[in-house]
């Protein structure tokens, strides 16, 4: 059975570009909110395989995307290795911050696979419920992005706690990154064993890293994870999504060894076609604001992306996650535009 998404990631442009949307499962869907209310909290939903599998499949049933993304979160890793992680309504993630060596000593990457067994069960149930021509994507957060939440204790505006700690105590910060590399590599390989056919590494806050630390905090840890996963399962494509890195995208591709990259909204389709697509398949990059607005604005922006990038290996997606106030009808319309697109 052909799979347009896996073909695109292997460098083959098919009759039409495949698509999926970051955060395609979530609060903008009433059927998600219904199941979310049945769970006692967000992490409980992530660790309830039957419910998590259902919400993974919801956007596939509605929009017939070419790929489903496992319903979980990047912050299950700190939870698995022993940090206290909560999700507070209206606030987002709240973690007991890791601030030094004593906190690091409490973290244990060896717990990862046991703790996340329910997530692997979700992967198995989703794969069993998906048609053959829809691929299943597993994912993780990159060490830098996960570390920002661990050290800041939640979302941050300026990343001052993590940056000052990482600069002042380089060796200690490297220990945290090593723990995350080990735990995340095990986590991704186990997702593949359970049925994930491609992986995406989210480095949402890569753009906040100082240029002189980019190699050590973004490229090196991601490269270690890619190497670790590839040595176990060389056949599974890995998409790197490092937001806000601008001109360092080419260095990121070459340095990390990812098979494809997700594009943020700062690069034009023409620039991506000229500079990035000759190096590897690209995925992106409609700004989610256009999806929220819908109508002609959305259609024109989507068509420009398709006309410019769909001639080469390309996966249509957004530039970051769907906003919770997005009307599902706009998502439906966007899916239709991609599905009906023909080269002109
Ligand atoms: O459909 C999918 O994309 C799959 C599931 C998924 C979620 N989070 C579910 C989720 C994925 C791939 C993520 C990734 C994630 N999580 C990232 C990287 C991508 C990005 O969005 O930048 C980050 C930084 C996180 C951390 C995180 N999780 C935050 C900051 C928040 C709170 C903000 C918010 O949107 O509520 C979450 C919670 C979260 N993760 C929700 C969902 C559907 C909403 C929680 C709820 O339902 O109450």
């Amino acid at each position: 059975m052909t799979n347009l998404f896996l073909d695109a990631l292997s460098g083959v442009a098919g009759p039409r570009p495949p698509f999926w949307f970051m955060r395609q499962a979530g609060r903008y869907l009433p059927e998600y909110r219904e199941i979310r209310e049945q769970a006692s909290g967000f992490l409980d939903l992530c660790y309830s395989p039957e419910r998590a599998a259902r919400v993974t499949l919801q956007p596939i049933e509605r929009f017939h995307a070419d790929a489903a993304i496992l319903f979980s979160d990047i912050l299950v890793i700190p939870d698995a290795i022993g940090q206290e992680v909560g999700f507070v309504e209206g606030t987002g993630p709240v973690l007991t911050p890791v601030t030094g060596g004593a906190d690091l000593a409490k973290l244990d990457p060896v717990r990862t696979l046991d703790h996340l067994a329910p997530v692997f069960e979700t992967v198995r149930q989703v794969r069993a419920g998906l048609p053959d021509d829809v691929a299943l994507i597993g994912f993780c957060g990159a060490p830098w992005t996960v570390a920002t939440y661990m050290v800041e204790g939640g979302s941050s505006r300026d990343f001052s706690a993590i940056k000052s700690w990482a600069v002042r105590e380089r060796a200690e910060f490297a220990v945290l990154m090593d723990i995350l590399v080990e735990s995340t590599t095990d986590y991704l390989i186990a997702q593949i064993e359970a049925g994930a056919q491609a992986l995406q590494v989210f480095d949402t806050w890569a753009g906040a890293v100082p240029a002189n630390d980019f190699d050590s905090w973004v490229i090196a840890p991601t490269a270690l994870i890619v190497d670790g996963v590839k040595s176990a399962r060389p056949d599974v494509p890995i998409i790197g999504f490092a937001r806000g890195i601008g001109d360092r995208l080419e260095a990121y591709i070459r340095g990390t060894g990812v098979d494809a990259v997700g594009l943020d909204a700062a690069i034009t389709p023409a620039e991506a076609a000229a500079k990035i697509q000759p190096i590897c398949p690209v995925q992106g990059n409609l700004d989610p604001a256009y999806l929220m607005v819908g109508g002609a604005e959305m259609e024109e922006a989507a068509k420009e992306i398709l006309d410019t990038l769909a001639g080469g290996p390309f996966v249509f997606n957004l530039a970051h996650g769907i906003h919770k106030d997005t009307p599902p009808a706009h998502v439906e319309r966007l899916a239709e535009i991609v599905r009906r697109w023909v080269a002109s």
Side-chain angles (χ1 to χ4, degrees), residues 214 242 245-254 261-263 267 276:
F214 191 72
I245 65 172
D247 287 347
R248 283 189 283 281
L249 189 52
E250 289 167 68
Y252 173 84
I253 297 165
R254 297 189 204 280
V261 280
L263 306 172
I267 186 164
I276 310 301

Side-chain angles (χ1 to χ4, degrees), residues 15-35:
R16 67 154 174 91
F19 71 95
W20 65 282
F21 303 122
M22 288 191 276
R23 289 280 184 100
Q24 63 190 9
R27 283 168 300 191
Y28 75 105
L29 288 178
E31 61 269 34
Y32 170 84
R33 293 197 298 270
E34 198 185 314
I35 294 188

Side-chain angles (χ1 to χ4, degrees), residues 12 20 31 73 93 110 125 139 170 183 185 192-193 196 203 223 243 247 271 277:
V12 177
W20 65 282
E31 61 269 34
D73 196 83
V110 171
Q125 291 189 17
F139 74 93
R170 287 203 173 263
S183 168
T185 305
I192 298 171
E193 307 280 296
D203 214 344
R243 255 179 78 199
D247 287 347
E271 286 165 342
Q277 213 173 21

